[in-house]
């Protein structure tokens, strides 16, 4: 006897997308989250143009737009040498996204809307419930979860499939024994919101420095989200007074100091990381991983919400197939459907993961990122293409082709385009 056909651990975008898609198929799905919504989440809070396609499918796009989110026309990346990679979503020849704008919206707003859509589709949502362990049968197959309520009461819930959508430090991945941290790049972040930042435009911003990078984007209502990322060796300094550390770091950047001088931080800086997390596999007998629980390499490309939403669609497809198999976990039944999810996830995101890792390597080397910046200043089409890939509507293979790479690194640049360090 089960308490639900599928239990989803985590009610963020990955969990809500999974639950919505399953409930829409008529599956009995239960979502468990230790938080109570609305709740904030340290995040860059940017959604790629293709994310709007999934919001539309979930019936959430109108509700999100009604909150007056910021519309992002693209991104600009400032390199340590002062050059800029400036790309627009609507300027990529031969490629059109679901929308010609990305969105930036506070997570307490977005996540609440998405979870409400899962409820409306028929998912049962329990807030304030902490999932502390997995339950397995004699063969090692996951058959449920152990949960602790806010009053300390512990109970066990049974399910045919458990989906771990519990984020970067996924309990589900750890209990499955598949959690893995890459040795490089080891980065941590501080995230906060500011009012009154000067010079905010319709382009999101990434500023690469010699000791990290910072993402800046309007999230509506005159509020700017700031996500500053540092090498993990700075973690001890960050853990002191996070607010003072972040404020001082922004003021220490010559090209940002005047823009933040009149600004007011509206909430406490929150730390997140380390990053570079990747599950060795995203499926196990009776269980799947989705969103950041399956993979989160580096926050530079800022498209984790799309990956969470799209991953939820895929997880629901294969979890439903496992249920339809009618098996009980033995050979020849739902194990095959769950294992196929792993292959589908790799097919969907493999090239994007490769691009993310290549970008991470370039960003970590000031000379390389500065050279890319000068190339993109000389040939703006390169910047549009890069932004289109990060916006999830240009196939990543476009920027992995030898001709594109040579255009960034191999061709000499005119002297007029060489920027001097700021």
């Amino acid at each position: 006897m089960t308490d639900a056909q599928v239990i989803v651990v985590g009610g963020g975008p990955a969990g809500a997308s999974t639950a919505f898609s399953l409930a829409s198929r008529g599956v009995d799905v239960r979502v468990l989250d230790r938080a109570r919504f609305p709740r904030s989440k340290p995040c860059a809070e940017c959604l790629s143009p293709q994310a709007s396609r999934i919001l539309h499918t979930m019936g959430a796009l109108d509700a999100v737009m009604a909150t007056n989110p910021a519309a992002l026309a693209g991104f600009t990346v400032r390199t340590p040498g002062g050059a800029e990679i400036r790309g627009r979503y609507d300027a990529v020849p031969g490629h059109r996204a679901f929308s010609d704008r990305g969105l930036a919206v506070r997570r307490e707003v977005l996540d609440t809307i998405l979870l409400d859509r899962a409820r409306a589709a028929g998912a049962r949502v329990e807030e304030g419930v902490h999932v502390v362990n997995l339950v397995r049968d004699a063969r090692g197959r996951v058959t449920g979860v152990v949960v602790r309520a806010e009053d300390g009461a512990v109970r066990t819930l049974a399910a045919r499939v458990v989906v771990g959508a519990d984020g970067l430090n996924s309990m589900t991945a750890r209990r499955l024994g598949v959690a893995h941290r890459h040795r490089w790049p080891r980065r941590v972040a501080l995230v906060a919101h500011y009012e009154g930042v000067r010079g905010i435009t319709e382009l999101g911003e990434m500023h690469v420095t010699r000791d990290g990078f910072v993402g800046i984007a309007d999230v509506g209502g005159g509020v700017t989200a700031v996500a500053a990322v540092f090498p993990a060796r700075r973690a001890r300094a960050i853990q002191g007074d996070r607010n003072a550390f972040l404020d001082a770091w922004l003021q220490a950047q010559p090209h940002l100091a005047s823009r933040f001088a009149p600004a007011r931080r509206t909430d406490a800086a929150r730390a997140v990381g380390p990053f570079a997390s990747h599950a060795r596999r995203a499926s196990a007998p009776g269980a799947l991983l989705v969103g950041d629980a399956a993979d989160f390499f580096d926050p530079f490309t800022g498209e984790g919400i799309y990956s969470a939403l799209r991953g939820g669609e895929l997880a629901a497809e294969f979890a439903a197939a496992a249920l339809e198999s009618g098996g009980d976990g033995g050979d020849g039944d739902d194990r095959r459907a769950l294992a196929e999810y792993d292959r589908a996830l790799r097919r969907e995101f493999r090239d994007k993961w490769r691009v993310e890792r290549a970008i991470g390597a370039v960003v970590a080397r000031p000379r390389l990122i500065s050279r890319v910046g000068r190339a993109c200043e000389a040939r703006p089409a390169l910047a549009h293409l890069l932004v289109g890939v990060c916006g999830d509507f240009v196939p990543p293979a476009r920027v992995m082709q030898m001709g594109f790479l040579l255009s960034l690194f191999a061709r000499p640049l005119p002297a007029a385009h060489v920027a001097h360090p700021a």
Side-chain angles (χ1 to χ4, degrees):
M1 182 176 178
T2 61
D3 295 285
Q5 289 177 290
V6 178
I7 287 177
V8 177
V9 183
S17 174
T18 304
F20 173 86
S21 297
L22 284 167
S24 297
R25 288 174 162 86
V27 173
D28 176 26
V29 57
R30 197 166 181 169
V31 182
L32 309 175
D33 198 293
R34 65 188 303 179
R36 290 194 175 275
F37 292 73
R39 59 98 173 91
S40 62
K41 190 82 170 176
C43 175
E45 299 180 320
C46 296
L47 289 78
S48 69
Q50 281 305 100
S52 289
R53 192 274 300 169
I54 304 176
L55 297 182
H56 175 73
T57 298
M58 294 180 68
L61 185 57
D62 287 345
V64 170
M65 296 307 294
T67 68
N68 296 315
L72 299 179
F75 267 85
T76 180
V77 179
R78 186 187 188 276
T79 74
E84 288 193 355
I85 302 167
R86 185 179 295 266
R88 295 183 61 92
Y89 296 131
D90 60 0
V92 186
H95 296 276
R96 290 291 301 275
F98 180 88
S99 169
D100 63 1
R101 293 288 189 274
L103 297 174
V105 57
R106 300 286 292 267
R107 283 291 298 273
E108 54 262 46
V109 173
L110 175 68
D111 291 11
T112 300
I113 290 172
L114 295 177
L115 200 54
D116 284 345
R117 292 308 304 154
R119 281 193 183 94
R124 292 181 285 157
V125 178
E126 291 186 50
E127 303 174 30
V129 176
H130 185 194
V131 179
V132 296
N133 211 340
L134 302 178
V135 179
R136 301 173 187 263
D137 64 15
R139 292 172 296 183
R141 184 182 190 277
V142 175
T143 58
V145 297
V146 178
V147 303
R148 184 171 60 240
E150 291 173 320
D151 63 3
V154 176
R155 58 195 165 121
T156 298
L157 300 175
R160 284 278 307 282
V161 178
V162 172
V163 177
D166 44 348
L168 180 64
N169 299 304
S170 168
M171 177 283 301
T172 311
R174 293 197 308 273
R175 294 291 189 268
L176 291 174
V178 299
H180 175 68
R181 295 278 187 188
H182 294 283
R183 293 184 178 181
W184 178 92
R186 301 292 284 171
R187 292 175 176 148
V188 295
L190 286 177
V191 181
H193 297 89
Y194 289 77
E195 289 180 342
V197 180
R198 290 172 174 159
I200 298 299
T201 71
E202 64 178 357
L203 296 178
E205 306 173 31
M206 297 296 294
H207 298 264
V208 183
T209 71
R210 297 187 182 278
D211 68 341
F213 56 86
V214 60
I216 301 171
D218 176 16
V219 291
V223 176
T224 300
V226 175
V229 181
F230 308 97
R233 64 177 181 273
R234 304 289 298 276
R236 180 171 294 182
I238 290 171
Q239 287 304 317
D241 186 336
R242 297 171 183 171
N243 297 329
F245 183 96
L246 180 58
D247 292 343
W249 187 85
L250 291 168
Q251 287 299 322
Q253 309 308 311
H255 61 291
L256 293 177
S258 63
R259 296 178 60 188
F260 278 86
R264 181 180 68 88
R265 185 170 33 76
T266 62
D267 55 9
R270 300 178 64 183
V272 60
F275 304 110
S277 171
H278 178 76
R280 292 185 178 90
R281 62 182 185 278
S283 68
L288 299 175
L289 297 173
V290 65
D292 291 352
D295 181 87
F296 191 101
F297 177 70
D298 191 67
F300 190 84
T301 57
E303 303 302 340
I305 296 176
Y306 170 79
S307 297
L309 294 171
R310 177 63 185 132
E313 290 183 323
L314 289 173
E317 177 184 344
F318 290 95
L323 296 174
E324 291 170 2
S325 74
D328 62 355
D331 292 337
D333 52 29
D334 56 355
R335 285 178 182 249
R336 291 196 179 96
L338 297 178
E340 181 58 33
Y341 166 72
D342 234 341
R343 292 185 282 272
L345 195 67
R346 287 195 296 271
R347 286 193 299 270
E348 182 77 17
F349 292 113
R350 178 178 51 218
D351 287 347
K352 183 69 178 292
W353 290 339
R354 289 172 176 167
V355 170
E356 288 175 347
R357 283 148 178 76
I359 289 175
V362 171
V363 168
R365 294 164 175 80
R367 288 185 179 180
L368 278 182
I369 186 65
S370 293
R371 184 177 180 90
V372 170
R374 294 193 298 270
C376 289
E377 284 187 333
R379 293 176 288 277
L382 302 179
H384 300 320
L385 200 59
L386 282 168
V387 167
V389 170
C390 292
D392 299 303
F393 64 94
V394 174
R398 285 291 308 275
V399 300
M400 296 168 64
Q401 296 170 354
M402 186 58 67
F404 182 87
L405 297 176
L406 288 175
S407 68
L408 291 179
F409 299 113
R411 297 176 184 173
L413 297 170
H417 290 290
V418 177
H420 298 284

